[in-house]
Amino acid sequence: MVSTAESFLIGGAAACTAVTVSNPFEVAKVRLQLQGELSKGGEKVYKNVGDVLVKTWRHEGVVGIQRGLFPAYVYQVLLNGSRLGFYEPLRRTINRTFGYAPGEQLATTSIAAGASSGVIGAMAGNPFFLIKARMQAYNPVLPVGTQHYYKHSWDALSSVWKAERWRGLIRGMDAAIIRTAMGSSVQLPSYNWTKRTIVENGWGKADSTWTFLASSAVSGACVCMVMQPADTALTRMYNQPTRALPNGKLVGVLYSNPIDCLWKTLKTEGPLGWYKAMRGLAVSAALLSGLAAAADVEKPTFTPTAIQAPFLEQFTGDWQERWTPSEATKKTAVGGETFSYVGKWSVEEPFKEVSIVGDKGLVAKDKATHHAISAPIVKPVNPKGKTLVIQYEAKFQKVGNCGGGYVKLLEEGALANKEFSDTTPWVIMFGPDLTCPGTKVHFIFRHQNPITKEWEEKHLKTAPSPVIDDFTKLYTLIVNPDNSYQVLIDDEVASEGSLLEDFSPSVNPDKEIDDPEDKKPEDWVDEAQIRDPAAVKPEDWDEDEPFQIVDEDAEIPEGWLVDEPKEIPDPDAVKPEEWDDEEDGDWIPPMVRNPKCDEAPGCGTWTKPMKTNPKFKGKWEAPLIDNPAYKGVWAPRKIPNPNYYEDLHPADLRPIGAVGYEIWTMTEDIMFDNVYVGHSVDDAKKLAEETWYVKHKVEKAIRDADAAEKKAQVEAEAKAKKTASTDDVLARLKEDPAGFVREKVMDFVEDVQEEGPIAALQSNPQVGGAILASLLTFFGAIAAIFGVVGSSAPPVVKSVKKTSSSPAAADGAKKTPSDVPSVVASEPAAAASSTATSKDTPVKKRK
């Protein structure tokens, strides 16, 4: 992992490489943005970017082409160095502040850290961007805009400092922050999206130069479209002349802030005034986007870790020398039929989201098959008296349904060869399992009864149940000498406790057990309650009364059609042509429900309904009373457990001699990588930081971009659907306006009756608002007719003392235009006119 200082230097160096190439286009961009400033039409000094470069080279040489190069270097070091150097520390700090793990990748905190680091860079680099713009605008032969002559960068900084102190160095910082924010919002997302699209469609490889150039070009175009107006405003804010106020404060002659600059540019030059020098900015942005993006999200190339451990597997080129696929056969549970571990294994890169270039993992390739593979540990791992750490990555690339992803640590002496199977003795089984339905992370260890010598599997009672998706997941198990354990998923604790308390069956058996020879006595009474033998049925208790009786008070409903049958022959039925009365008999049409019955309360014979019998009591039973002969619940007596033992150190597991995967799965392409078996929690953590954290960050960034793209697509489809719906409504309204309005009003009235007025307004706000507006208009008109509203108050007559002259007039006569400071001769005429102040006109009062 690189430090903050190293990240700062790497980011700055990458950006400076791009600046050397892009600076000529920056010179052209600045001069084109200042050409014709706040003026309409007029003769142009430069036609386009190429014309600027040719004329600059002809009149100024390489000095003119590379004007402002040094401050451009410093600015890019500060901007991109800050973005890379401060991003990760800020993200981790924000995570801690809001109670999240420092390593957790969250979209909100990542955006906040990115924006904050960008703002820090823009603020730190503002003085250098200021003098860069002024130096690039200076042209002794073909000047455009205000001309600021400086001998070199230090002269520029010192001149600004002498004239304005800190205010001069931070001039235009607000515009710089807006520009940086707008550019950063599209720079990396557009670069990553283009690169991912090229790779996924097979148009180029992830590390191809052409893929890099194409992604940079698209990113530069996106940055140009979004950032160009703010960039134009920034250049003009930096380069504008200044004038001194009476208090000595220097302010801009042309613009007061970025918004003022954009507005004046739009008024005088039109929308195209915002997009001057677009080609120059596009080239510059493409170069800077490419290298900045590469510095930010460039995928590192796989390098084997320097961490040492008893067993550490990263599946490098010689992996087949260590791992042996099984060829064993396995008997089924029902008989002699056998099947083999025929699932194929391969070491390859993931087919989605290659996070570390050249990093490969072990992949179970087939579905609905048994897979088994194992590798020996050169020096067996003995957990006795030491912390045992097991860690590896699993990635269900196609998710699927049922399938295992757990690892087995085999006993010392168990052969890691072609005969490895489910019967091979193991010490620990640990890892995820899609259990159909649901998921769990197994932690099972085998323990031997020292008396019976039998082996038992001890299962974690409450196994974690994480969401298993197609992200790379990190699984870590830590077993300590004090019998405590921790199960971590993605470097977060998912379960912890004690080997002595949290497993079933428990490590240590009960001291006493039920006596198998003890039998319950025949006279043992274990009934707590009995029927009261002294109870007598009441005389008025009639067990023969039915539960329901006929409701004699019921009357036939009005309109009941007694003479109408419930079903009638289907009047629409037609005898089939192939029907033969002699062979098939008389044809009878099918029966259908009588439609008259649907219009009436009922039809056919009416019978009185049944009702609950108020005299019904049911069968009488004597009440329950406590049984005087009750002796309690019988249980056999306890005897000492002949197989009892006490193992106070179950963490002293048997030595581990091999690592193996023995799984059955309905899901193919399950990937395993970065397997660690050893004794150091710190080393396992460092390995995760080198590998899993890098993968997780890239995967999450790609998923977030995909989610944003899908969201945008859904919103676009919804907008198109809404537009189509609006067009349909307008067509109906045009065709039958009265009928359309009547239909909408009746629908609204029905909603009010069924759902209430509030719900009706929420579902039909336009109709409700129109009705409300109509009612207010109607009652307002009535009120206006009767003078309730809209009438004017009678005028109030006041005497006014006439004066020969007003103070305003006297003051106005004395006012003169303020002095305008002179600027360099190349200042645009429109700029000069904008500095003039109008005279105060005396106000004439009515006599």
Side-chain angles (χ1 to χ4, degrees), residues 282-306:
V283 174
S284 175
L287 291 168
L288 292 176
S289 293
L291 285 204
D296 269 343
V297 298
E298 182 180 9
K299 298 171 185 177
T301 301
F302 171 74
T303 302
T305 183

Side-chain angles (χ1 to χ4, degrees), residues 535-591:
V536 178
K537 183 175 71 172
E539 294 182 0
D540 61 345
W541 192 286
D542 188 352
E543 295 183 348
D544 297 328
E545 284 288 342
F547 175 70
Q548 287 186 322
I549 59 176
V550 176
D551 185 1
E552 299 296 343
D553 298 329
E555 297 180 357
I556 186 171
E558 183 179 354
W560 189 280
L561 304 177
V562 178
D563 299 329
E564 288 288 340
K566 295 182 178 180
E567 293 185 336
I568 60 173
D570 187 356
D572 299 327
V574 179
K575 184 173 72 172
E577 294 181 0
E578 65 273 11
W579 188 277
D580 189 334
D581 290 338
E582 294 183 358
E583 294 183 3
D584 302 327
D586 294 335
W587 179 79
I588 301 174
M591 303 297 287

Side-chain angles (χ1 to χ4, degrees), residues 418-548:
K418 296 180 179 180
E419 296 304 316
F420 171 48
S421 69
D422 62 327
T423 60
T424 302
W426 48 272
V427 180
I428 287 178
M429 189 176 98
F430 170 66
D433 191 8
L434 277 72
T435 52
C436 305
T439 63
K440 67 168 61 176
V441 175
H442 291 294
F443 173 21
I444 309 169
F445 66 94
R446 294 176 74 238
H447 184 269
Q448 187 179 39
N449 187 314
I451 297 177
T452 64
K453 304 302 180 182
E454 293 180 354
W455 287 93
E456 283 186 328
E457 293 182 3
K458 309 296 183 181
H459 293 247
L460 182 61
K461 294 178 184 177
T462 55
S465 300
V467 174
I468 296 181
D469 48 29
D470 57 349
F471 276 91
T472 300
K473 309 288 284 186
L474 181 69
Y475 300 95
T476 308
L477 172 64
I478 303 172
V479 180
N480 297 305
D482 62 357
N483 300 319
S484 63
Y485 72 89
Q486 282 187 324
V487 174
L488 294 87
I489 303 173
D490 291 348
D491 208 23
E492 297 288 341
V493 176
S495 178
E496 59 184 338
S498 170
L499 299 181
L500 293 170
E501 300 172 359
D502 300 336
F503 288 77
S504 179
S506 61
V507 172
N508 295 315
D510 296 330
K511 291 184 178 181
E512 293 184 326
I513 60 173
D514 294 338
D515 184 358
E517 303 297 329
D518 191 16
K519 306 295 182 183
K520 184 172 75 171
E522 295 182 359
D523 60 346
W524 189 274
V525 178
D526 51 12
E527 293 180 347
Q529 289 186 318
I530 59 173
R531 296 290 175 183
D532 185 358
V536 178
K537 183 175 71 172
E539 294 182 0
D540 61 345
W541 192 286
D542 188 352
E543 295 183 348
D544 297 328
E545 284 288 342
F547 175 70
Q548 287 186 322

Side-chain angles (χ1 to χ4, degrees), residues 241-258:
T242 59
R243 63 186 178 89
L245 296 177
N247 59 4
K249 177 181 176 182
L250 291 178
V251 297
V253 171
L254 305 181
Y255 317 107
S256 57
N257 54 58

Side-chain angles (χ1 to χ4, degrees), residues 73 85 172-173 180 193 207 229-230 275 319 338 356 365 381 388 411 492 508 544 566 581 586 630 713 746 773 802:
Y73 280 155
M173 185 179 289
T180 303
W193 178 85
D207 55 352
Y275 286 92
W319 71 276
T338 61
I356 302 175
K365 296 296 296 179
V381 176
L388 175 64
E411 284 188 5
E492 297 288 341
N508 295 315
D544 297 328
K566 295 182 178 180
D581 290 338
D586 294 335
Y630 175 65
Q713 183 178 358
M746 293 308 298
K802 298 182 180 181

Side-chain angles (χ1 to χ4, degrees), residues 29-170:
K29 178 204 73 173
V30 167
R31 295 182 177 184
L32 286 172
Q33 286 174 336
L34 294 174
Q35 179 173 252
E37 185 178 13
L38 297 184
S39 64
K40 296 181 180 180
E43 185 178 354
K44 293 182 179 180
V45 177
Y46 304 110
K47 298 177 181 178
N48 49 50
V49 173
D51 188 45
V52 177
L53 295 176
V54 170
K55 290 179 178 178
T56 301
W57 177 263
R58 182 185 303 157
H59 296 291
E60 302 173 70
V62 68
V63 174
I65 286 290
Q66 290 290 8
R67 283 195 187 277
L69 182 60
F70 178 75
Y73 280 155
V74 179
Y75 174 75
Q76 288 299 332
V77 169
L78 293 173
L79 177 63
N80 290 289
S82 296
R83 289 173 61 196
L84 283 179
F86 292 117
Y87 171 78
E88 191 62 22
L90 282 172
R91 187 186 65 78
R92 290 177 172 272
T93 301
I94 296 172
N95 275 6
R96 291 192 191 97
T97 303
F98 289 95
Y100 297 105
E104 188 172 357
Q105 296 288 337
L106 301 169
T108 52
T109 57
S110 296
I111 291 172
S116 301
S117 59
V119 169
I120 291 172
M123 294 173 66
N126 190 76
F128 297 94
F129 206 114
L130 169 72
I131 64 172
K132 177 188 82 75
R134 292 184 175 182
M135 292 175 73
Q136 289 174 339
Y138 177 72
N139 186 332
V141 181
L142 298 173
V144 290
T146 303
Q147 297 291 283
H148 301 271
Y149 171 69
Y150 304 118
K151 297 178 182 178
H152 43 68
S153 300
W154 178 249
D155 179 49
L157 286 174
S158 59
S159 298
V160 173
W161 174 260
K162 291 176 182 177
E164 304 181 63
R165 299 293 177 178
W166 285 110
R167 184 176 297 277
L169 295 179
I170 64 173

Side-chain angles (χ1 to χ4, degrees), residues 126 312 333 336 350 354 592 661 828:
N126 190 76
L312 201 160
V354 177
V592 295
Y661 291 96

